[in-house]
Amino acid sequence: MELPKFNEFNELSQKVSDAIEAILQIDVTIMDKNRLRIAGTGIYSTLIGKEIEEKTIFDHCLRENREFVVLDSRKASICLKCPRLQSCIGESEICVPIQYSSETIGVIGIGAFNKSQKGKMQKNADNYLNFLRKMAYLLEGKYRELMMAQENRALENRMNKIINNIHEGLILFDNRCNTLFTNIALRNLLNDVGIHDHEHFIDTMKDQMELSSYFQPIALAAPRDWSKEIVIRYRQEQYQFYVSISLAGEDENRAELILTLQNLKKLQKRLLQSAEKNEVELNFDHIIGVSKAIRETKEYGRKAAESNSSVLIYGESGTGKEMFARAIHRSSPRKHQPFVAINCGAIPNELLESELFGYEKGAFTGASTTKYGKFEVADHGTVFLDEIGDMPLHLQVKLLRVLQEREICRIGSNQVRKVDIRIIAATNSNLPDKIS
């Protein structure tokens, strides 16, 4: 484990060094596991930030993870191989390893540089050694504290990344319904529906949902997960969401509530799109035929699949027009998006408009909810309009706007909505004759 660059740890190391020097009147130094001097007093203070040489007593203490007491540097056998032997001005040294878990992360030591300091160390060697052990233990405790704080921050960052990659809006409440955390998806969701005062909306929502009731003992004793549709009244508007609620904690004093929020209308749209996705994975290889006409038509279809243009397929009933439409969709960049097919001749004229464009709640008698039309359901995908020749004239005008502007307007609404769709149409009629 690498020694983190803790400024706080280095500052404490210097304070410890200063305190020891004030008490013992002997120079003190501390190095990290990379033999970098991170604190020092007296002669050592001018060497802070510099690397301590190999084969010194401090290096042996670090590598061998054991204490060293050298009371006469000129006579100790361990000093004979030291590269600083000829230039060393030290008279005696005592050093102790600093440990974290099973690893040595540094060394703390004292050094005598005159006869007076040497005499003190020879006389009080055991006491000084014991004192350094306690200081090493103190530094190890601080290092442990900083390591735990660093690990907690890393864990928090990982959790935040995970939570912020969740597509649902998420709110964490404590047992007093105070908001502890919200993720990025929640803020995006609220902005998307036009709510920008997020804190005020959350306060309104938790009051209308009576979230405090979930922390009552009877609720804590019940199953811990709820999912439901809700309507929140906020600033003269109504907002529909799908919420999931989970409780964490053993009792009401320590419980926390996790609430996830989804835009109900968008959720319904995704479910519709999922249901409409092209389950029949047809491509041009599935269309079997050896005639020149079939081969040429397949080649035209492959070229059409590469573009984003609208396509009109002519052919008699039963000749596989929908198969070609599905093959074009499956071979196009939209292949993973919905393929929505509708037979314009099989739906009564008065219902076809609502099927294609959808309607708002209350648009007509019986419209008790908002309904997505096929064009919205197929967003980013392909709409296949079979028997396009049977489409009523008044709808052909609205279809022209879809083709030109890629815009639709639900029945009963004035709001224009953009859609990203490709239209493939098919007919068994002779359209030029109908036009003439």
Side-chain angles (χ1 to χ4, degrees), residues 155-215:
L155 178 60
E156 182 180 354
N157 289 336
R158 287 196 297 272
M159 291 303 298
N160 283 339
K161 286 181 180 178
I162 293 170
I163 291 170
N164 284 322
N165 278 312
I166 296 173
H167 297 301
E168 293 84 6
L170 184 144
I171 314 172
L172 178 65
F173 295 100
D174 66 14
N175 63 334
R176 295 183 179 179
C177 288
N178 296 314
T179 304
L180 300 178
F181 178 85
T182 61
N183 68 347
I184 292 173
L186 177 81
R187 300 190 282 277
N188 292 339
L189 184 155
L190 295 180
N191 289 336
D192 190 45
V193 297
I195 298 171
H196 302 291
D197 190 346
H198 301 163
E199 291 184 9
H200 187 245
F201 177 80
I202 291 172
D203 288 339
T204 301
M205 181 181 68
K206 68 186 182 185
D207 289 341
Q208 292 185 21
M209 290 184 65
E210 298 181 343
L211 287 186
S212 59
S213 64
Y214 289 91
F215 292 102

Side-chain angles (χ1 to χ4, degrees), residues 269-415:
K269 183 177 178 180
R270 285 200 301 272
L271 292 173
L272 284 171
Q273 287 182 327
S274 177
E276 294 282 359
K277 278 195 175 179
N278 184 17
E279 296 179 359
V280 182
E281 296 185 357
L282 281 175
N283 58 45
F284 290 105
D285 292 334
H286 293 111
I287 300 175
I288 300 172
V290 295
S291 70
K292 181 180 179 182
I294 284 289
R295 293 199 306 271
E296 288 180 349
T297 305
K298 287 169 69 173
E299 187 59 32
Y300 289 144
R302 288 190 176 95
K303 290 180 180 178
E306 296 174 359
S307 75
N308 200 36
S309 301
S310 300
V311 177
L312 177 61
I313 303 174
Y314 281 103
E316 298 292 333
S317 295
T319 54
K321 296 187 293 295
E322 184 171 343
M323 288 182 67
F324 272 94
R326 288 183 179 274
I328 291 171
H329 171 79
R330 189 64 189 170
S331 302
S332 75
R334 298 175 184 265
K335 61 184 177 181
H336 297 301
Q337 301 301 328
F339 177 91
V340 179
I342 186 166
N343 190 320
C344 300
I347 299 175
N349 291 348
E350 59 272 15
L351 296 180
L352 184 57
E353 182 176 5
S354 64
E355 281 296 312
L356 290 174
F357 295 91
Y359 54 80
E360 294 289 346
K361 179 180 178 181
F364 50 82
T365 303
S368 57
T369 61
T370 296
K371 180 180 184 297
Y372 290 98
K374 298 297 187 183
F375 289 133
E376 281 190 85
V377 172
D379 198 18
H380 303 295
T382 301
V383 175
F384 175 56
L385 300 176
D386 200 5
E387 305 302 343
I388 188 70
D390 296 332
M391 178 174 284
L393 289 175
H394 76 280
L395 282 186
Q396 293 180 27
V397 176
K398 295 190 72 172
L399 178 60
L400 180 61
R401 184 172 182 83
V402 177
L403 290 168
Q404 291 178 331
E405 307 296 337
R406 293 298 189 265
E407 293 177 347
I408 63 104
C409 187
R410 295 176 191 160
I411 298 173
S413 172
N414 294 322
Q415 182 181 352

